[in-house]
Amino acid sequence: MTEKKQNYDESSIQVLEGLEPVRRRPGMYIGSTGTKGLNHLIYEIMDNSVDEHLAGYCKNIFVTLEADGSATVEDDGRGIPVGMHEKGVSAERVVFTTLHAGGKFDSSVYKTSGGLHGVGSSVVNALSSYLDIKVMREGLISHDRYERGVPTVELINGLLPTEGRTRKTGTKINFAPDPEIFDSVRFKAEEIKSRLHETAYLNPELTIHFKDNRGPFFEEQTYHEPDGIVGFVRDMNASKEAITQVVYFKGEAEDIQVECAFQYVNEFHEDLLGFCNNIYNAEGGMHITGFKTMFTQVMNSYAREMGMLKEKDANYNGADIRNGMTGVISIKHPDPRFEGQTKTKLDNQDAARAVGKVTSDEIQHYFDRNIEELKAVLAQADKAAKIRKEEAKAKTNLLSKQKYSFDSNGKLANCISKETDKCEIFIVEGDSAGGSAKTARDRKYQAILPIRGKILNVEKASIDKVLANAEIKTMINAFGCGFSEGYGQDFDITKLRYDKIIIMADADVDGAHIATLLLTLFYRFMPELIFQGHVYIAMPPLYKAQPSKGEEEYLYDDRALEKYRKNHKGNFTLQRYKGLGEMDAEQLWETTLDPARRRLKQVSIDDARLASSTTELLMGNDVPPRRDFIYEHARDAALDV
Ligand code: TTJ
């Protein structure tokens, strides 16, 4: 072994030690080793390109899911510096092998990685079976490569080898997530596209090119949104009846940049999305709070000025005023902090003050000059307040009338135990499957609620229609926590009667549709259920294999079948389950109900949000319908374990 080689080995060992914590506890760095964490690898790499864009240098980002399962992110920025770093190796090596160093050399004020797990490219490197880099800079193409975080290219006098000359500049990273780390290494195109589209809205001068070369659904999309968040709001409302223009304003306070766009539509719910440093905050936070507080205050004082509220009248509440509002609030914060169940709730008090101040100034500026718009908004608020008062009555009736009528309506087969942390409720599609499930269940801890056919699409219905729907009423009653529109309010999670709410639907198009509708319902009216991880999807098996000699075996997906075929010598018969209704009670218990043997997929807030139709637009127009998303997830959930 040459002396040089020896040095190389030493530095490899150092690198290994440096990145080892990441491989030992990946969840600490990327949140999870499931789908979310997997997709996060792409975002983590891409954030560097977005930073380069924000620095004023990169106009295009290319994200490609390659046929071999790897991912490529390329940009036309200046290229990662490859010169000698003070540590004696190429600067690029430092970026990819040092924890927390990130890719940022010029300390850009706004690190786009949003604070969630913004630890950068070295983490991705550590969790990739390989990561291959090409940097185009100063006329040369430099090349580097790592395997599980360890460099495999020998440096020449501390510098990277080059592979020819070019006039272009930019960075190209190709990497493959390590199957030793991740439950599944198949990226989720729907979620990635949604994120890319979001990024395009938030960076109006950026163009993002997406390509899925994996098949069977090859796809190409270009995301460029020159109208920024105004376009975002406009597109969110594309299929709705607008009753105002899109109102846009921006400003700065306390070193925080604030940008808002909103528009009212003739609908019964609000949809406010919060972003901090280009990252979506699923649980909202201080920017949203600041906006809401000031908006309510200003609109109430307008209502009094205009005589819509008399002296003796109570103020409109915030939800009245925002009824029908679709909005995006995007801030840039130099030091964001996050809290909440999923660490996606912006916690900085100064964000509330800054957004509040800018909102107060700017909406007065706007509505003073647009009286007709103001009138439309206030009329909407007035209507909402009236409906709210009616609803309050309806709700008392609903709750008092139905409180003890679970079994009298013949649907819910409740469990015996009142120990809520052990109880489960299965929402089962179809009466026949519901019947089998009632027989098969563990009566002590498992409740069964059969629902018939399609449930109401809550996105298309007014709140009183939603509440009038029999299936939904039964669910609200059964769960025991009430419901709310938006965050919190009348919903009380401490009253939840079950630890797990399990959606049990067939693995076909109709089943996926029902699951989508249920997720949308929970997302809209009981989001806490999802935040706190109470919602699951049951994963029944797809096949039963019965060998001529030996034990039968349930196979939960096609990969399991393939494996079975490989490992199983001799004849076996294969039964394909088409639906839950085909299983008898015993089979249903063995495969889908029994906590020791069944498979469940826990629903994340992102799943629910993707299922909800307000984000339909984020999926692009000419792509397969949303149900594919559930399929895609469901299939992989079955592959987990
Ligand atoms: C840093 O300051 C000097 C000029 O280049 C700046 C830089 O780092 N630019 C840059 C990094 N552009 N793109 C990247 C990048 C792109 C990807 C896909 C991945 C990573 C880790 C960095």
Side-chain angles (χ1 to χ4, degrees), residues 45 48-49 52 73 75 78-81 96 103 121 137 171 173:
I45 292 292
N48 294 286
S49 302
E52 182 70 352
V73 180
D75 72 35
R78 288 168 291 180
I80 304 179
F96 281 97
S121 12
R137 218 180 134 81
T171 305
I173 312 276

Side-chain angles (χ1 to χ4, degrees), residues 499-517:
D499 179 60
K500 293 191 175 66
I501 294 167
I502 303 169
I503 300 172
M504 198 165 133
D506 285 340
D508 61 9
V509 173
D510 286 340
H513 189 212
I514 284 174
T516 302
L517 292 173

Side-chain angles (χ1 to χ4, degrees), residues 460-480:
K460 302 265 181 273
S462 69
I463 178 106
D464 37 329
K465 275 237 186 67
V466 171
L467 290 177
N469 181 274
E471 322 274 4
I472 293 178
K473 259 200 255 188
T474 322
M475 268 186 267
I476 293 172
N477 274 325
F479 298 169

